[in-house]
Amino acid sequence: MRQEQPFDEFCVDSRMRTKILWLWLLVVCSFSSLVGAQAEGTIYRVEAAHGLTAPAARLISRALTEATAADAQALLIEISDGGAVMDVARPLAREAAAAHIPVVVWIGPRGTKGGAGGALLLTAAHIAAMAPGTSAGVAQPLVDVSSSFSATTQQQVVDDFATTLRGWQLEHGRNADWADRAARAGAIISSEEAQAATPPVIDVVAADETELLQTLEGRIVKLGDGTSRQVRTLGARVVTVDATAWEMVSQLLALPTVAFLCLVLAALALGLELSAPGVTVPGVGGVVLLIAALYGLWEAQVRPLAIIALLGGLVLLCAEPLVLAHGGLAAGGLVLLVVGALWLNDPSRNPGLAVAPLALVGTVVVVGA
């Protein structure tokens, strides 16, 4: 005869089967969530809104490090200002080309002039994109060779740099002739011309970030280490790498226009302190502005002799209330400020980062009055 199973044992077995079932369901749900999150992934995003100066390059490099550590689907670099310090932009381009995650460079929005920095990063990017109505490049070579080198050495440096740009373009199936021309003689190209070239200079024309991410879905790119990776952007979470407070301030100060205005304000504040000793506030403010201006000019990598001219103008402006030269020292100071401001930026080394004419004219009118 069949033995009856005790009721207590039956209850224990039932509870055990229930626990096992719930544990199995928990494992399945966790695995599904993990797979879903991995499928969606993340897109890291960083914006170069004030040109490719040294502080901006450090921000982009930090964003690339964070995106790589997170194994992001891609790093999206948005360029909305074409100014660039070439000694900073070239190493950044090499870092982007050798990245272990896809790097997408987009010049936008409409009307943006990507300049030399945009041309370099577009060439180095795994995926190059532009918004309609934008441009990239400058009308001068992307490589600046010191005149102290011999003609043979200069030509070799230019050839090596042009070969690097051509290699990046060919690796991603893009037009290499344009990159060679931009490196050797300079070339400006619009987004429409870049897309119409054979083969195209860029991969995508997209009006905004949403359209860009939709267009990138499923693209396969070849990374710097030789491996290939498929970019999955639909449903991906976009993580913006924001600049810290110091990074924002340093980016602004690295613009020659801002640094120049800080220097002029420093001269006015120090002049006010010298004309009425003991007030203290203008003196302290003037010293702070002077330090900020010198830091910005150092980050912008401007001509050293131009800085000397600007400082000379500052000294003359500050000396005017002490000597009472009836405006003679102030006039000389203004002349030195104007000469220094016009000569401050070297277009071959820092294209697109000159002092704004409106700021210069406004300074002369206000201080002169």
Side-chain angles (χ1 to χ4, degrees):
M1 293 181 62
R2 185 168 64 94
Q3 280 190 328
E4 294 288 337
Q5 185 181 19
F7 179 75
D8 292 340
E9 292 183 9
F10 176 77
C11 291
V12 171
D13 290 344
S14 299
R15 287 196 296 270
M16 184 63 68
R17 285 194 294 267
T18 302
K19 289 180 179 179
I20 293 174
L21 178 61
W22 279 110
L23 181 60
W24 173 250
L25 290 175
L26 180 62
V27 171
V28 170
C29 291
S30 300
F31 181 75
S32 300
S33 300
L34 180 61
V35 171
Q38 197 170 24
E40 290 182 1
T42 54
I43 302 290
Y44 275 63
R45 171 187 175 275
V46 65
E47 183 179 0
H50 304 294
L52 288 180
T53 57
R58 289 194 291 267
L59 171 63
I60 294 175
S61 182
R62 176 168 70 84
L64 179 57
T65 300
E66 293 181 9
T68 303
D71 193 26
Q73 288 290 320
L75 170 65
L76 172 59
I77 302 174
E78 298 186 3
I79 299 177
S80 55
D81 188 299
V85 177
M86 299 306 291
D87 289 344
V88 169
R90 284 190 287 265
L92 180 64
R94 291 188 175 92
E95 185 178 355
H100 296 293
I101 61 169
V103 173
V104 181
V105 173
W106 178 69
I107 296 179
R110 177 183 290 272
T112 298
K113 296 181 179 180
L120 274 175
L121 288 187
L122 277 180
T123 307
H126 301 106
I127 299 177
M130 299 172 69
T134 58
S135 65
V138 288
Q140 60 193 43
L142 293 181
V143 57
D144 175 44
V145 185
S146 174
S147 58
S148 62
F149 294 161
S150 65
T152 303
T153 303
Q154 291 182 23
Q155 188 60 46
Q156 183 177 358
V157 172
V158 172
D159 289 343
D160 289 345
F161 186 71
T163 300
T164 299
L165 296 191
R166 286 183 61 88
W168 290 340
Q169 287 287 84
L170 290 172
E171 184 177 359
H172 302 298
R174 301 194 291 260
N175 193 306
D177 292 337
W178 176 83
D180 186 88
R181 190 168 68 255
R184 296 179 185 277
I188 302 175
I189 192 168
S190 66
S191 56
E192 291 75 18
E193 292 171 339
Q195 190 179 41
T198 306
V201 174
I202 59 176
D203 300 296
V204 177
V205 172
D208 52 33
E209 181 182 301
T210 301
E211 182 181 346
L212 176 63
L213 294 181
Q214 291 174 349
T215 307
L216 296 183
E217 172 64 24
R219 284 181 176 265
I220 298 177
V221 299
K222 185 178 181 182
L223 302 179
D225 57 4
T227 61
S228 296
R229 182 163 177 174
Q230 188 176 34
V231 180
R232 307 306 299 267
T233 57
L234 295 184
R237 183 170 60 97
V238 178
V239 177
T240 300
V241 180
D242 293 318
T244 63
W246 169 246
E247 287 173 334
M248 292 176 62
V249 171
S250 59
Q251 285 186 64
L252 289 175
L253 290 177
L255 297 175
T257 299
V258 176
F260 172 73
L261 291 177
C262 286
L263 191 64
V264 172
L265 292 175
L268 294 176
L270 292 174
L272 180 61
E273 177 67 27
L274 292 174
S275 63
V279 179
T280 306
V281 174
V284 173
V287 171
V288 171
L289 287 169
L290 178 60
I291 294 173
L294 292 177
Y295 169 78
L297 294 173
W298 175 70
E299 287 281 34
Q301 298 186 18
V302 296
R303 289 187 173 108
L305 290 179
I307 297 179
I308 295 176
L310 290 175
L311 291 176
L314 182 147
V315 170
L316 291 180
L317 287 173
C318 292
E320 174 66 31
L322 299 177
V323 179
L324 298 178
H326 304 288
L329 292 180
L334 280 175
V335 170
L336 284 178
L337 282 179
V338 171
V339 171
L342 291 175
W343 197 44
L344 195 62
N345 186 64
D346 185 350
S348 63
R349 297 182 59 213
N350 309 328
L353 288 178
V355 176
L358 183 60
L360 184 56
V361 172
T363 298
V364 173
V365 171
V366 172
V367 178

